[in-house]
C-alpha cells in the first residue's frame, strides 16, 4: 500500500490562526483542505512538508452566497460538490457548475475544495509519478532535478495548468480574496497565475485563499465550459475552454472572454479571440476567426494525455464550439 | 433459455458467494492477518537493461525492524510457466531485463520500514543499451542479446506452418488482398493488486496464500525454486479480486515471501503497489500483423497467409503458447482451404507480456475481421453475407487439424442482425454514425496442460455427510467468473438437491484434487465433467441402497427435489438424507472421485498442441457508434452480442461474462494501452493514466445467448469468459468505417489517429522484414484418430 | 468509537489495519479508482485520501455496517440476485456510493446512476449488472 510519510497535523482554529501557523512554521509547512491533490503527492514524494496546516473546518472559508452586494461569494473551503450542485450557480453560471462537476469523480468532489482546485498543482507526465519512477527517469526541474524532461532545452518548467474551475472564474472576471500576515487583499483571480510550471502562483506562501467573488457585472453573461479528456470521469482536462459573452438586444456581442486551461502553465486569457467578436453580430465567420486566434495561443507539449498535435488542433474545434453555443448557433 | 429436464441448470440463481461479496465478508489475500506477521517489499531495477555487478545488503539488514534481506543468490533456480522456457529468476542475479525487474527482497516489521530498507540496498549496475522494438530485437547481437539461452538475436520463438494447398489457393483466387495491422499492448488491471502471504511453520511445512489463478502451477514452481518437496508445500488460492489472465503463473513476489518466511520463521505478507502491478504485467502482447488473402469474386476465401510479430518483453512467460495462438484459430470461424501462418515472438526490455483474456487471439481476430470487412466492401458485398456463405460447419476438422464439434455461429449472426436491424442501418446511417459487425471463436479450455503429462486436467472429490450435506472438493479457483457456483450447480443438479446444500472447498492443494487453474476458459467444461463423473459414481452407490429400501429397480429411480424417487410413481420415494444413511450403513463412508482429460486432437504435427480444445465457443457482435467529425471523438452507443455458450448453466453468470468481455474489449479498442518511453520506462503506470473505461463510457449491451448443447461439455456447456471479447474490437473498427469512411488498422483507435486518418495522414503499419523458418506442412486427414469424449 | 492512531495514517489504514475492518478494499491509494470508498456523514469519500484524524467526530459507514439487524440492505440483495458482484473487489465501495445515491435520490434514472458511479472502476462487469441492480433496488424488490 502507498502510505504517507510522517508529518505533523496542525488543526487551525481560525483563518488568522492558520495564517499565523504558516508564518511560524516556515517553508516546511503546507496547507491542506480536501487533501485530494496533496496526499497523493505526499505519497509519491512530490510534496514533502513536515507540517500540514488544516483549513478543513474553518468557517471563514465556507458559504456560497449568490446575492451579495458585490456579487456572488464562493468560499474557498466549499467542496466541488457543493459548487456544482448549487441551485443559483447552475442557473446563473452553468459554466462553473459544469467545470466543478467535471473535476475527477463524485467521490473526489465530495472532498476536494474550490481553493484546492484553483491552486491545484501543475501536472506533467514526468512529474506525477512515484519516487521510484522519477528516480529511474532522472529527476526533473520541478522536483529534485536540473532539467525539464519534456523539453531539455527549456529553462522553464512546462507542467500543465490543470484546474477546471480557474478558467471559468477568470472568464467571469472573478476576484480572489486572500488573507495573509498583513491582512486581507483582493486581486483579480487571473493575476494570481503566471506561465511557469513551478512558480505558477503569484501569491505569497503565507497567504490563504478565503474565497472568490464573481462581480455583479458578470450576472446575465452567457457562459460555457467545454473540456477535452479521455473519459467522462477521473481525468484532468487536456484542454478546457471557458467562454463568457454578453449580447445586446440586437444580438451584437458586447463583451467576450475566452480562457483556456491545460494549454500552458497558467489559465490562458485569449484577448485576441474576444476582440474578434466584440461589437459584432456573431456569425460562423467571426467564430472561425476567433477560434483561429485562440488556437495560436495554445501551446500544448508532450507531457499530458493525448497527442499534443491533436490537443492543439482541438483548441480551435473546442473554442469554435463554445462560441457557437453562446451565440446560439449550436445547441 | 431451454431448461428441459433440468432443475438447477439454466436458472438465474445468485452465486453461492454473492452475499459474502456484498457484505465485505470475503477474505482476499490482503485481508489476511496473522500474529507475528512481517511485511515484504521488493527492490526493482530502475534500468531496462543492465548487468548487476554487485549488491550490498548490509546497511539494509542493520536497519531496526528488518528481519531478512534476500537477493538472487538466495533463489538461484530458474523457473517459468512453460517448462520449455524457464528463463525467470525470482530475483535477478546477473542481469535485469526491464524497469521493475526485482533484484532484492526485504522482510520488516512494517511496509514503511521495508520500504526504507530498500533504499539502503546498494546495487551496482552496468547499464546496457535497451532493445525496445521488434525490429531491433530481430537483429540484436552481442550485448543487445537479452537472454543467452535462445538460439539467435532476441528471438524467443519463430514458427511457420502451411496447411492445405496455399499456393493453389492463391492461384485460384480472383482477388488478393494484402494489409498490415498493429495491436498495441495493454494490461489486465484487476482491481485487486497482487498479494501473497507465506508461512513456513516449525513443522517444516510451507503454506502460501496468494491471489492466483493457477495454484497448481504455483505449487510446482515453489517446490522447484525453494527445493522443498511438493508434499511440504500447501498453496491456497484466496478469492481472486480480478484476474483476466494476469495472475496465471508463478511470480517473483510469491516465491520471495515464501523464502523470507523460511528465513524468518514468521508469516510474511507482500502486497504490490498499483505501479508494481504494471511492471509485473504479463498482459496483451503488442503485435504487428500482415495478412494476405485470396478470394473468389463471390467472396469465397481461397487461401490466407498470416504473419504475426509479437513484442514479448523481458521474459518468456506464456509466450511460446501466445505466438502459436496468434495463428491457430484463424481457421475455426470461416472455411479456409489453404492457410499459411508465420509468427515470431521476440524479447525486448519491457515488462513481460503473457496471457490476457483471449490470449493471443484478439490481435489476429481484429486483423482478420477488419480485413474481411474491407474485402466485402471491395467486392460489393454485405460483410455479413460474405461471412454467412462460408461458416465452418459442425462436426468437421479445419485445415490445420482442429476438431469442431458444435457451432451456433449462424444462429448467433442471424439473431444478432435481426435484433440490431443491420439491413436497415448498414451504410444507411447519416455521416458520423456507423454500425459494424464481426464474429469469432474461442477455445473452451486448452487441449493440453502447460507441462506435458498424462494425468487429468481436473479432479473433483465428493464427500457425503450422513446429515445429507454434500461437499465438493476441487482445485479450481473462483476469480469472479463463478466457478465455485458452477461446481455447486452441477453437483446439486446431479443429486437433485438445492445448491445451498452443497458446500464447495476449492483451490487448496492440501485439500483438493488438482485442477489446472482458471485460464483458457477451461473450468466449466473440465471441472463440470469431472464433477459429473464423481457424482455419478456416488449415485450408483446411493441407488443400490435406495433400490433395496424402496424395492424398485435402480434404473427406475431418479434424484429430484431432495429425494430419491421412482420415475413412474413419484410418491414412492425416500429422502436424500435417508438414502445417504442407508448407503453409508451398507457400504461405509461415502465419497467418490471424478476426473477429466480433454479428448485427443486429430493433428499430430509439431506445434499442433496449441489450438485444440474440447469445444469452440462462437460469438458475433454488432457495434453502433458515433464519431464527431471535428474532434474525431468516438462514442459507442450500443453493442449487440450473441454468444454460443453451448449451455447457459446460469444465464446471469453467462451474461455477466459477456458484458465484462464487451467492456474489456471496448477499453482495448478505444483507450487502453501499455506504452513505454524511449528510455524503456513505462509511460503511465497508474490508474489515472492507464485509461480504464468508467460507467460513463460503457454503452448498453444486449446479449443473446445461443445454446448448442455440445457433446463434449457438461450438460452441453462451452465457454463464455473470453470469446465474447473477440468480435467487439473489430466490430468497433468496422463501425467507425461505416460512420466516417476511414479504416484504422491500429488498436487502440484514439481520436488523434482518427483525425490523422480523416486527413489522410495516418501512415500504414509497417511490419519487419524477417525470414521465417521453412514451414511445417500438414494436410487434413494426417495424424491420429479422433477419439470421442474421454 | 475512539481510536488512537498515527497522524500519517489514512482512514483506509485505520479501518483495515487498526480496526480489522477489511471489508474496505484498496486499489491504488491515490484516489484514482474509487475502490476504498466509505461514507463520511453520509457522503461517499475516498478513504485513502482522508486522514484518520480528519474523520474525528464524523459518522463513518463501511460495508460492514450496511446490513441492519442481520438483514441485507436492498442494494446488497439486488447485487447478489443479479450477479452484479463478479470478483467482488470493487463492490463494497460501489454499494456504499449507491446507498448514498438512493438515500438522497430514491428514484434515480439510469444516467444519474452512471454519473454517481463514474468514480468507481470495475473491471469485471462492464457495470451493466451493477446499474441493473441499483435500478432494481430503487424500484423495490419483485419488479424484475
Amino acid at each position: 500500500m502507498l502510505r504517507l510519510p510522517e508529518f505533523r497535523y496542525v488543526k487551525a482554529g481560525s483563518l488568522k490562526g492558520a495564517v499565523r501557523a504558516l508564518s511560524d512554521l516556515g517553508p516546511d509547512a503546507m496547507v491542506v483542505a480536501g487533501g485530494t491533490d496533496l496526499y497523493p503527492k505526499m505519497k509519491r514524494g512530490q510534496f514533502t512538508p513536515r507540517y500540514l496546516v488544516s483549513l478543513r473546518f474553518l468557517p471563514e472559508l465556507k458559504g456560497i452566497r449568490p446575492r451579495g452586494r458585490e456579487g456572488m461569494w464562493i468560499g474557498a473551503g466549499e467542496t466541488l460538490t457543493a459548487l456544482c450542485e448549487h441551485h443559483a450557480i447552475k442557473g446563473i453560471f452553468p459554466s462553473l457548475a459544469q467545470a466543478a462537476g467535471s473535476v475527477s469523480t463524485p467521490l473526489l468532489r465530495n472532498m476536494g475544495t474550490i481553493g484546492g482546485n484553483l491552486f491545484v498543482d501543475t501536472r506533467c507526465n514526468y512529474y506525477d509519478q512515484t519516487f521510484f519512477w522519477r528516480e529511474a527517469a532522472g529527476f526533473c526541474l520541478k522536483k529534485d532535478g536540473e532539467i525539464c524532461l519534456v523539453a531539455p532545452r527549456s529553462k522553464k518548467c512546462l507542467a500543465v495548468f490543470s484546474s477546471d474551475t480557474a478558467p471559468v472564474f477568470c472568464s467571469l472576471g472573478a476576484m480572489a480574496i486572500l488573507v495573509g500576515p498583513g491582512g486581507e487583499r483582493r486581486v483579480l483571480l487571473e493575476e494570481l497565475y503566471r506561465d511557469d510550471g513551478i512558480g505558477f502562483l503569484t501569491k505569497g506562501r503565507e497567504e490563504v485563499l478565503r474565497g472568490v467573488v464573481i462581480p455583479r457585472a458578470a450576472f446575465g453573461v452567457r457562459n460555457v465550459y467545454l473540456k477535452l479528456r479521455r473519459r467522462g470521469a477521473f481525468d484532468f482536462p487536456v484542454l478546457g475552454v471557458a467562454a463568457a459573452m454578453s449580447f445586446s438586444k440586437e444580438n451584437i456581442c458586447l463583451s467576450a472572454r475566452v480562457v483556456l486551461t491545460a494549454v500552458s502553465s497558467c489559465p490562458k486569457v485569449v484577448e485576441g479571440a474576444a476582440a474578434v467578436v466584440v461589437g459584432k453580430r456573431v456569425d460562423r465567420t467571426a467564430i472561425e476567426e476567433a477560434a483561429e486566434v485562440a488556437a495560436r495561443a495554445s501551446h500544448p507539449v508532450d507531457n499530458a494525455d493525448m497527442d499534443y498535435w491533436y490537443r492543439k488542433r482541438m483548441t480551435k474545434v473546442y473554442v469554435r464550439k463554445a462560441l457557437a453555443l453562446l451565440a446560439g448557433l449550436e445547441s | 433459455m431451454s431448461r428441459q429436464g433440468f432443475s438447477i441448470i439454466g436458472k438465474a440463481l445468485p452465486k453461492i458467494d454473492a452475499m459474502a461479496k456484498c457484505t465485505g465478508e470475503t477474505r482476499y489475500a490482503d485481508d489476511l492477518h496473522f500474529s507475528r506477521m512481517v511485511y515484504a517489499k521488493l527492490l526493482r531495477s530502475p534500468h531496462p537493461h543492465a548487468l548487476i555487478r554487485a549488491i550490498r545488503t548490509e546497511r539494509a539488514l542493520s536497519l531496526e525492524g528488518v528481519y531478512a534481506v534476500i537477493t538472487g543468490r538466495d533463489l538461484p533456480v530458474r523457473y517459468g510457466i512453460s517448462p520449455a522456457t524457464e528463463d525467470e529468476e525470482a530475483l535477478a542475479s546477473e542481469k535485469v531485463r526491464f524497469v521493475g525487474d526485482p533484484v532484492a527482497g526485504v522482510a520488516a516489521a512494517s511496509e514503511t520500514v521495508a520500504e526504507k530498507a530498500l533504499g539502503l540496498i546498494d546495487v551496482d549496475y552496468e547499464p546496457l543499451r535497451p532493445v525496445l522494438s521488434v525490429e531491433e530485437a530481430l537483429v540484436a547481437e552481442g550485448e543487445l542479446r537479452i537472454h543467452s539461452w535462445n538460439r539467435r538475436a532476441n528471438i524467443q520463438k519463430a514458427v511457420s506452418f502451411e496447411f492445405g494447398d496455399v499456393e493453389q489457393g492463391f492461384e485460384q483466387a480472383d482477388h488478393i488482398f494484402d494489409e498490415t495491422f498493429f495491436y498495441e499492448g495493454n494490461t489486465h488491471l484487476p482491481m485487486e493488486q497482487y498479494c501473497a502471504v507465506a508461512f513456513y511453520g516449525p513443522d517444516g511445512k510451507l503454506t502460501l496464500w496468494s491471489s492466483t489463478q493457477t495454484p497448481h502451477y504455483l505449487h510446482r514452481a515453489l517446490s522447484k525454486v525453494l527445493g522443498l518437496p511438493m508434499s511440504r508445500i500447501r498453496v491456497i488460492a484466496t478469492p481472486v479480486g480480478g484476474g483476466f489472465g494476469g495472475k496465471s503463473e508463478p511470480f517473483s513476489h510469491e516465491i520471495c515471501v515464501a523464502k523470507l518466511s523460511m528465513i524468518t520463521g514468521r508469516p510474511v505478507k507482500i502486497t504490490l503497489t498499483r505501479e508494481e502491478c504494471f511492471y509485473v504485467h504479463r498482459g496483451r502482447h503488442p503485435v504487428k500483423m500482415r495478412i494476405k488473402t485470396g478470394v473468389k469474386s463471390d467472396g469465397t476465401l481461397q487461401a490466407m497467409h498470416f504473419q504475426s510479430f509479437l513484442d514479448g518483453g523481458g521474459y518468456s512467460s506464456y509466450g511460446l503458447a501466445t505466438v502459436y495462438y496468434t495463428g491457430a484459430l484463424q481457421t475455426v470461424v470461416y472455411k479456409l482451404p489453404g492457410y499459411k501462418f508465420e509468427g515470431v515472438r521476440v524479447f525486448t526490455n519491457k515488462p513481460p507480456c503473457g496471457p490476457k483474456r483471449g490470449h493471443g487471439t484478439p490481435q489476429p481476430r481484429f486483423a482478420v475481421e477488419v480485413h474481411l470487412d474491407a474485402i466485402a466492401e471491395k467486392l460489393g458485398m454485405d460483410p455479413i453475407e460474405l461471412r454467412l456463405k462460408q461458416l465452418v460447419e459442425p462436426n468437421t476438422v479445419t485445415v490445420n487439424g482442429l476438431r469442431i464439434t458444435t457451432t451456433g455461429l449462424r444462429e448467433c449472426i442471424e439473431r444478432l442482425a435481426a435484433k440490431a436491424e443491420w439491413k436497415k442501418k448498414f451504410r444507411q446511417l447519416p455521416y458520423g454514425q456507423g454500425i459494424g459487425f464481426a464474429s469469432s471463436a474461442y477455445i473452451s479450455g486448452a487441449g493440453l496442460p502447460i507441462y506435458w503429462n498424462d494425468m487429468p486436467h481436473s479432479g473433483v472429490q465428493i464427500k457425503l455427510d450422513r446429515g445429507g450435506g454434500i461437499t465438493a472438493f476441487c482445485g479450481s479457483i473462483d476469480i469472479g467468473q463463478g466457478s465455485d457456483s458452477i461446481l455447486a450447480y452441477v453437483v446439486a443438479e446431479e443429486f437433485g438437491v438445492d445448491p445451498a446444500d452443497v458446500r464447495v472447498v476449492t483451490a487448496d492443494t492440501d485439500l483438493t484434487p488438482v485442477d489446472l487453474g482458471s485460464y483458457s476458459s477451461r473450468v466449466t467444461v473440465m471441472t463440470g465433467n469431472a464433477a459429473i463423473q464423481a457424482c455419478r459414481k456416488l449415485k450408483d452407490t446411493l441407488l443400490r441402497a435406495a433400490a433395496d429400501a424402496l424395492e424398485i429397480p435402480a434404473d427406475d429411480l431418479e434424484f429430484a427435489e431432495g429425494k430419491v424417487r421412482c420415475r413412474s410413481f413419484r410418491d414412492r420415494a425416500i429422502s436424500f438424507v435417508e438414502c445417504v444413511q442407508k448407503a453409508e450403513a451398507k457400504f461405509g463412508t461415502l465419497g467418490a472421485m471424478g476426473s477429466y482429460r480433454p479428448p485427443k486432437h486429430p493433428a499430430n504435427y509439431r506445434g499442433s498442441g496449441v489450438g485444440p480444445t474440447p469445444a469452440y465457443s462462437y460469438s458475433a457482435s454488432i457495434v453502433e457508434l458515433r464519431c464527431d467529425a471535428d474532434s474525431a471523438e468516438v462514442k459507442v452507443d450500443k453493442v449487440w452480442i450473441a454468444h454460443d455458450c453451448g449451455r447457459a448453466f446460469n444465464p446471469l453468470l453467462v451474461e455477466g461474462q459477456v458484458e465484462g468481455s464487451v467492456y474489456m474489449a471496448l477499453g482495448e479498442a478505444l483507450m487502453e494501452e501499455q506504452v513505454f518511453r524511449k528510455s524503456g520506462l513505462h509511460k503511465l503506470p497508474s490508474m489515472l493514466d492507464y485509461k480504464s473505461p468508467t460507467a460513463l463510457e460503457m454503452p448498453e449491451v444486449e446479449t443473446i445467448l445461443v445454446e448448442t448443447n455440445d457433446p463434449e461439455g457438461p450438460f452441453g456447456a462451452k465457454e463464455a469468459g473470453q470469446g465474447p471479447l473477440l468480435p467487439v474490437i473489430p466490430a468497433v473498427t468496422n463501425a467507425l468505417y461505416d460512420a466516417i469512411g476511414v479504416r484504422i488498422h491500429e488498436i487502440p483507435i484514439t481520436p488523434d489517429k482518427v483525425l490523422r486518418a480523416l486527413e489522410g495522414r495516418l501512415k500504414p503499419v509497417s511490419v519487419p522484414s524477417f525470414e521465417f523458418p521453412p514451414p511445417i506442412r500438414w494436410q487434413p486427414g494426417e495424424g491420429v484418430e479422433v477419439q470421442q469424449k474421454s | 468509537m475512539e481510536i488512537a492512531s498515527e497522524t500519517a495514517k489514512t482512514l483506509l489504514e485505520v479501518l483495515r489495519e487498526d480496526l480489522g475492518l477489511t471489508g474496505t478494499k484498496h486499489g491504488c491509494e491515490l484516489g484514482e479508482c474509487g475502490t476504498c470508498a466509505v461514507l463520511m456523514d453520509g457522503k461517499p469519500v475516498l478513504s485513502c485520501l482522508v486522514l484518520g484524524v480528519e474523520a474525528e467526530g464524523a459518522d463513518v459507514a463501511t460495508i460492514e455496517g450496511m446490513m441492519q439487524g442481520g438483514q441485507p440492505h436492498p442494494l446488497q440483495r439486488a447485487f447478489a440476485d443479479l450477479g452484479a458482484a463478479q470478483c467482488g473487489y470493487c463492490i463494497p465501495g460501489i454499494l456504499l456510493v449507491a446507498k448514498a445515491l438512493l438515500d438522497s435520490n430514491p428514484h434515480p434514472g439510469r444516467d444519474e446512476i452512471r454519473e454517481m458511479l463514474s468514480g468507481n472502476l470495475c473491471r469485471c462487469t462492464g457495470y451493466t449488472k451493477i446499474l441493473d441492480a441499483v435500478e432494481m433496488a430503487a424500484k423495490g424488490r419483485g419488479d424484475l
Side-chain angles (χ1 to χ4, degrees), chain B residues 16 37-38 51 154 242 260 435 457 466 520 580 585 608 625 713:
Chain B
I16 59 169
M37 191 162 83
V38 295
L51 297 173
N154 284 328
L260 287 166
I435 193 162
H457 291 215
R466 58 179 70 164
S520 84
V580 167
S608 64
L625 54 72

Side-chain angles (χ1 to χ4, degrees), chain B residues 441-557:
Chain B
Y442 198 64
I443 55 170
S444 305
L448 293 179
I450 299 288
Y451 66 99
W452 180 249
N453 71 81
D454 284 325
M455 292 176 279
H457 291 215
S458 190
V460 170
Q461 178 179 11
I462 295 179
K463 185 210 86 175
L464 292 184
D465 180 75
R466 58 179 70 164
I470 307 170
T471 311
F473 299 85
C474 179
S476 59
I477 167 65
D478 199 316
I479 61 171
Q481 87 280 43
S483 59
D484 281 1
S485 301
I486 295 292
L487 185 56
Y489 300 153
V490 170
V491 172
E493 181 67 46
E494 282 291 316
F495 287 110
V497 300
D498 190 316
D501 294 325
V502 180
R503 230 171 236 290
V504 298
V505 176
T506 52
D508 180 330
T509 60
D510 264 14
L511 305 181
T512 60
V514 165
D515 174 83
L516 295 179
S518 285
Y519 68 94
S520 84
S521 271
R522 52 177 295 291
V523 185
T524 293
V525 167
M526 301 204 194
T527 64
N529 278 327
I532 289 172
Q533 192 184 72
C535 290
R536 293 193 179 162
K537 283 185 191 168
L538 259 178
K539 281 162 75 177
D540 281 347
T541 308
L542 293 176
L543 283 176
R544 278 154 63 196
D548 283 359
L550 291 165
E551 300 180 333
I552 297 168
D555 58 9
D556 197 24
L557 292 174

Side-chain angles (χ1 to χ4, degrees), chain C residues 101 105 107-118 131:
Chain C
L101 172 66
N105 178 3
H107 300 289
R110 199 161 172 98
D111 285 343
E112 286 174 289
I113 304 171
R114 274 182 196 283
E115 174 61 40
M116 187 67 170
L117 293 178
S118 64
L131 299 173

Side-chain angles (χ1 to χ4, degrees), chain A residues 3 130 133 232 310 313 318, chain B residues 111 275 631 633 682 697 759:
Chain A
R3 290 167 200 270
T130 62
W133 194 100
Y310 173 76
R313 293 286 300 262
Y318 272 61
Chain B
E111 281 197 318
E275 179 189 15
S631 71
E633 291 170 286
H682 195 298
E697 280 72 49
E759 296 178 2

Side-chain angles (χ1 to χ4, degrees), chain A residues 1 3 123 126 129-130 132-133 137 228 230-232 234-235 305-307 309-310 313-314 318, chain B residues 44-45 111 275 279 630-631 633 677 681-683 685 688 691-692 696-697 750-751 756 759 761:
Chain A
M1 197 184 285
R3 290 167 200 270
R123 300 183 54 80
Y126 287 92
Q129 300 282 0
T130 62
F132 170 83
W133 194 100
L228 173 67
R230 198 79 73 129
R231 299 175 291 183
F234 287 105
D235 297 341
D305 186 32
M306 304 187 107
D307 188 290
W309 167 85
Y310 173 76
R313 293 286 300 262
M314 285 309 105
Y318 272 61
Chain B
R44 295 180 182 272
S45 165
E111 281 197 318
E275 179 189 15
Y279 302 146
D630 288 332
S631 71
E633 291 170 286
R677 300 211 164 274
L681 203 54
H682 195 298
K683 249 188 180 174
L688 178 63
K691 302 301 179 188
S692 175
L696 295 170
E697 280 72 49
T750 51
R756 282 195 169 94
E759 296 178 2
R761 296 161 60 161

Side-chain angles (χ1 to χ4, degrees), chain B residues 203-425:
Chain B
D203 56 358
K205 287 184 173 166
L206 173 76
T207 305
L208 185 87
W209 293 261
S210 183
S211 176
T212 177
Q213 298 176 240
T214 50
H216 173 64
Y217 295 137
L218 175 57
H219 194 193
R220 285 169 48 87
L222 286 171
S223 169
K224 180 180 167 106
V225 180
L226 300 171
L228 282 176
M230 282 173 80
S231 56
R232 309 276 169 86
I233 301 173
R234 176 182 187 184
V235 174
I236 300 172
T238 47
V240 174
F244 318 113
K247 296 172 179 169
S248 38
E249 54 198 292
F251 289 108
S252 161
H253 64 272
E254 294 167 322
I255 296 166
C256 286
V257 279
K259 184 69 186 180
L260 287 166
S261 183
M262 288 171 76
I263 294 171
T264 60
R266 284 168 174 265
V268 183
K269 182 198 268 190
I270 188 163
T271 310
L272 302 194
T273 63
R274 180 54 63 184
E275 179 189 15
E276 289 179 288
C277 297
F278 283 96
Y279 302 146
V280 173
H281 188 46
R282 320 283 160 149
R284 185 84 70 223
H285 285 71
V287 184
K288 287 187 163 186
M289 293 162 281
R290 179 175 173 191
I291 171 169
K292 193 173 115 186
T293 307
V295 292
K296 287 278 191 199
S297 291
D298 68 356
T300 314
L301 302 174
Q302 296 296 298
M304 180 183 285
H305 178 189
F306 195 93
Q307 290 182 326
S308 61
F309 303 84
L310 289 76
D311 182 346
Y315 294 92
S316 290
S317 176
Y318 274 85
L320 197 57
T322 320
V323 66
Y324 287 113
Y325 270 127
T326 62
L329 303 191
Q330 269 78 324
T331 55
V332 176
V333 185
Y334 315 110
K335 285 177 206 152
L336 203 50
Y339 177 51
K340 181 172 182 178
F341 167 60
E342 294 169 312
V344 59
R345 183 184 192 263
V346 299
F347 295 119
T348 55
N349 293 112
K350 294 183 271 190
C353 298
K356 185 187 172 195
R357 205 172 204 165
H359 193 187
T361 72
Q363 301 97 327
R365 186 49 55 193
F366 157 68
V368 166
E369 297 294 318
V370 175
H371 186 64
L372 289 180
D373 202 68
I375 291 174
E377 157 123 295
K378 289 267 169 54
L379 300 179
M381 291 179 72
D382 180 300
I384 289 186
E385 293 307 320
L386 178 128
R387 282 152 167 115
L388 280 176
K389 68 183 296 175
Q390 48 201 327
L391 296 179
V392 160
E393 306 283 342
N395 300 311
T396 54
V397 174
T398 67
V399 70
N400 57 339
L402 301 176
R403 185 175 68 111
I404 311 297
T405 50
T406 55
T407 161
L409 186 54
R410 186 170 300 278
E411 186 183 341
C412 283
I413 295 175
E414 285 168 355
R415 287 175 61 186
L416 185 74
K419 201 118 203 179
E421 303 185 294
W422 172 262
K423 287 248 180 268
K424 224 166 87 185
K425 292 177 183 166

